Amino acid sequence: MLRIDGLTKRYKTGDQALKNVSFEISGGQVVGLIGPSGAGKSTLIRCVNKLVEPTSGSISLNNREISSASGGELRRIRRRIGMIFQEYALVERLTVMENVLSGRLGYVPFWRSYLRRFPQADVDKAFMLLERVGLSTHADKRADALSGGQRQRVGIARALEQDPELLLVDEPTASLDPKTSRQIMRLILEICRERSLPAVINIHDVELARMFVDRIIGLRAGEIVFDAAPAKLDNAA
Ligand code: ADP
Ligand code: ADP
């Protein structure tokens, strides 16, 4: 479970990006984060993966405090947060399998020979994940030979390779056509259900959010202005 309590972020520039934001997400629940540009969505996601230091408030994942963690403890927590990106962030000249294995390290290695020394158990798991996302026949292809939808499937498998306890997803379909976008959103939703994983998806497309998330949190000027099932969105607007 992800728990955010009284989260506030004021940047050095004086921008108040988050104001006393609190919510909880349980396992298997997929939350879509919506709101106009500048509302604080990226800042919220960056606070959770600790790219940004909150001004105050607490964030915990399965009862371990993220906001105060440092050193080895922070690395352990970060390894349990699976990130999925808008532009996939694959290493183009590595194979699909190598890209998935790089999730094991929690960062993308540029040192290819390193990936050849992975334990067989990790390779087997990567293969199973590629099967789950429908890419087992593409394991040896280079990432740059794939379509956008296939790349995002690799991005999802890579996030799962690290056995995440939380998925943070940043505009996963921004570079995809509408049909592929729906397939990717459905896949993310199904996987969160299967693994009882909580997910936060920064999602630009409100219609997609309506179709594929369990709950929508609307941010505006750093505050939560909506937090309910997608069906309630019409009444609020
Ligand atoms: P969103 O992702 O919803 O577009 P952001 O979290 O990027 O919103 O931005 C929220 C507010 O914080 C905006 O006013 C933005 O200008 C400001 N902001 C974001 N990142 C920084 C930064 N690195 N330094 C200073 N201000 C920032
Ligand atoms: P996004 O597509 O997430 O809305 P932006 O264009 O808002 O991205 O921001 C791009 C980068 O600039 C981010 O790293 C963000 O943190 C930073 N940024 C955004 N607003 C500001 C700001 N007011 N001052 C400094 N950096 C900012």
Side-chain angles (χ1 to χ4, degrees):
M1 183 175 79
L2 176 70
R3 185 153 179 268
I4 293 183
D5 198 16
L7 190 67
T8 293
K9 175 63 187 178
R10 177 189 286 275
Y11 285 104
K12 287 198 198 75
T13 50
D15 282 285
Q16 181 87 28
L18 295 172
K19 298 171 192 164
N20 196 25
V21 166
S22 302
F23 60 89
E24 287 182 6
I25 308 180
S26 52
Q29 190 176 48
V30 176
V31 169
L33 208 54
I34 65 170
S37 181
K41 305 180 298 294
S42 317
T43 300
L44 177 56
I45 287 192
R46 289 182 192 138
C47 284
V48 176
N49 65 15
K50 285 270 261 184
L51 293 176
V52 159
E53 199 61 43
T55 307
S56 62
S58 80
I59 304 171
S60 67
L61 179 59
N62 295 332
N63 294 319
R64 280 169 318 193
E65 189 61 37
I66 296 179
S67 33
S68 60
S70 62
E73 171 69 2
L74 177 59
R75 277 195 296 279
R76 273 193 294 282
I77 294 174
R78 271 217 182 110
R79 290 182 61 95
R80 296 296 184 201
I81 299 179
M83 295 285 307
I84 297 172
F85 305 94
Q86 172 177 346
E87 296 292 346
Y88 328 119
L90 305 183
V91 181
E92 299 292 331
R93 61 190 182 78
L94 294 186
T95 66
V96 164
M97 174 57 93
E98 288 165 339
N99 271 283
V100 174
L101 282 171
S102 76
R104 199 73 206 142
L105 303 170
Y107 63 92
V108 180
F110 290 90
W111 185 22
R112 183 171 205 163
S113 57
Y114 196 81
L115 292 170
R116 297 227 171 91
R117 285 190 264 122
F118 266 86
Q120 190 59 37
D122 289 347
V123 177
D124 292 347
K125 185 164 98 185
F127 195 77
M128 191 199 73
L129 291 170
L130 282 173
E131 273 184 333
R132 177 62 189 89
V133 301
L135 284 181
S136 54
T137 58
H138 292 62
D140 296 326
K141 285 203 178 135
R142 270 170 56 137
D144 55 11
L146 303 182
S147 69
Q150 289 171 334
R151 281 167 199 232
Q152 193 55 292
R153 289 170 190 274
V154 178
I156 293 168
R158 178 184 57 195
L160 297 175
E161 177 74 14
Q162 65 193 84
D163 294 324
E165 294 175 15
L166 169 71
L167 284 184
L168 290 181
V169 192
D170 192 19
E171 302 208 21
T173 64
S175 310
L176 302 175
D177 64 69
K179 180 162 175 262
T180 309
S181 296
R182 289 193 293 273
Q183 291 167 345
I184 291 294
M185 286 299 294
R186 183 173 294 118
L187 181 63
I188 292 172
L189 183 71
E190 285 172 2
I191 284 172
C192 288
R193 293 271 195 282
E194 287 163 17
R195 300 179 162 234
S196 210
L197 260 179
V200 181
I201 307 185
N202 185 354
I203 185 164
H204 197 71
D205 184 333
V206 178
E207 279 316 304
L208 263 190
R210 257 185 230 276
M211 282 187 268
F212 294 105
V213 306
D214 299 307
R215 172 177 167 199
I216 289 180
I217 293 182
L219 281 178
R220 182 180 294 268
E223 291 180 285
I224 294 183
V225 293
F226 180 88
D227 183 356
K232 297 259 163 67
L233 200 56
D234 298 313
N235 311 340

